[in-house]
Amino acid sequence: MNGRLGFRVMNGLLQAAIVGSLLVASVQAAEPIRVLIVDGQNNHNWKSTTPILKDFLLKTGRFTVDVVTSPPNGQPKEAWNSFRPKFTDYGAVVSNYNGELWPEPVQRDLESYVSNGGGLVIVHAANNAFTEWPEYNKMIGLGWRGADFGPRVTVDNDGKVVETAKGEGPGAGHGAQHDFAIVVRDREHPVMKGIPAEWMHVKDELYHGQRGPAANMHVLATAFAAKGVGGTEANEPMVWWIPYGKGKVFTNVMGHADYSMKCVGFQTIIDRGTEWVATGKVTIPVPEKFPTATTTLSDDAAK
Ligand code: ZN
């Protein structure tokens, strides 16, 4: 080998090594997931809760977060012409919206976004929305609807999912707000893996009697709705997911108010659920300081 050829070979090897290490680096530092929070109407204080959602999602370092705000309630139809969220720009859409039905094109956009593999996360009263939108009902499985709307889903004390027929038993409601225990029902699910089997959630409304098509429901966590606080004496679904086409819809009915959303458990489930619907994987760790079976933990107390 003459000197010149030797130099070329060495140079080629060096270039290959540099390209190789760049490839490794780009695989290791995962691209941030783009998240879109939708708000603008809610019978809850979305102006105080959206910033909390945004803040704790950003703190994971895993997401970038945009917010799209709808027109307020009662505006003329034209006010909605500029409300055209570009769902396909995002890995996940988080709904903090409970209000007027979106314009038809926006409904169709959300349906095609999720069915083509997009991720949708439903927070608390977002499952109260859109009773009259059939595909939305399929996506969320259970919503804040009357007993005649569809079946109800609970979990018995052996962990078996029980369906109650349409018209039988209570419709949607909740008792008085209180701290309550969350019981994880699928500890192998990527979102739930590493989360304690039972832990106390900060004061919240405990939704019961939710109704809907309830097809393909995967119940991930429940809470017992005690009669003494206005509940149903049943293990009510708190967290579940549903496949919709190639996409996933992840619902967490906790999160009534700012204090409920400060629960470390609530935040961990939204963070990991959002990552999971976007990528099918969970890399966000369960925080070392986590609520226990007897004590709640708010994020300001966890620091
Ligand atoms: Zn509420």
Side-chain angles (χ1 to χ4, degrees), residues 20 43 56-57 72 104 127 163 187 204 227 265 269 272 275 298:
N43 58 330
F56 71 71
L57 284 163
E104 289 278 342
N127 104 321
E163 201 170 290
R187 298 197 68 200
D204 207 332
K227 205 170 183 175
I269 284 174
R272 289 163 61 101
E275 184 183 26
S298 292

Side-chain angles (χ1 to χ4, degrees), residues 29-170:
E31 283 283 303
I33 297 162
R34 299 192 67 193
V35 173
L36 179 68
I37 299 176
V38 188
D39 66 13
Q41 293 188 26
N42 207 314
N43 58 330
H44 293 68
N45 191 350
W46 58 270
K47 287 182 184 170
S48 84
T49 55
T50 290
I52 294 172
L53 284 166
K54 182 176 176 175
D55 186 51
F56 71 71
L57 284 163
L58 286 175
K59 267 190 199 144
T60 64
R62 189 72 181 94
F63 309 108
T64 61
V65 180
D66 291 336
V67 178
V68 62
T69 299
S70 79
N73 194 13
Q75 298 301 301
K77 217 176 162 193
E78 305 78 64
W80 286 87
N81 290 344
S82 58
F83 180 75
R84 293 291 183 274
K86 203 149 180 283
F87 300 123
T88 50
D89 282 352
Y90 296 90
V93 173
V94 175
S95 180
N96 193 25
Y97 182 95
N98 176 25
E100 290 172 301
L101 189 59
W102 293 343
E104 289 278 342
V106 183
Q107 295 178 41
R108 301 295 88 77
D109 281 355
L110 186 75
E111 291 164 7
S112 73
Y113 164 73
V114 182
S115 62
N116 288 315
L120 177 63
V121 176
I122 302 292
V123 180
H124 193 62
N127 104 321
N128 300 196
F130 307 144
T131 308
E132 61 277 66
W133 176 1
E135 293 307 307
Y136 188 78
N137 283 306
K138 285 185 202 163
M139 289 187 217
I140 65 173
L142 296 174
W144 185 278
R145 324 281 188 232
D148 288 336
F149 188 84
R152 169 193 182 206
V153 170
T154 52
V155 174
D156 70 16
N157 288 332
D158 298 325
K160 207 179 113 214
V161 174
V162 179
E163 201 170 290
T164 308
K166 172 179 165 174
E168 287 174 23

Side-chain angles (χ1 to χ4, degrees), residues 175-219:
Q177 290 183 48
H178 61 297
D179 297 351
F180 53 84
I182 298 296
V183 177
V184 176
R185 297 292 176 175
D186 182 356
R187 298 197 68 200
E188 290 307 306
H189 188 276
V191 173
M192 293 299 175
K193 210 159 188 166
I195 290 181
E198 184 171 341
W199 48 275
M200 288 300 292
H201 174 47
V202 177
K203 184 175 162 181
D204 207 332
E205 291 169 345
L206 197 168
Y207 275 16
H208 64 228
Q210 306 293 297
R211 300 282 177 161
N216 306 311
M217 291 266 305
H218 295 73
V219 178

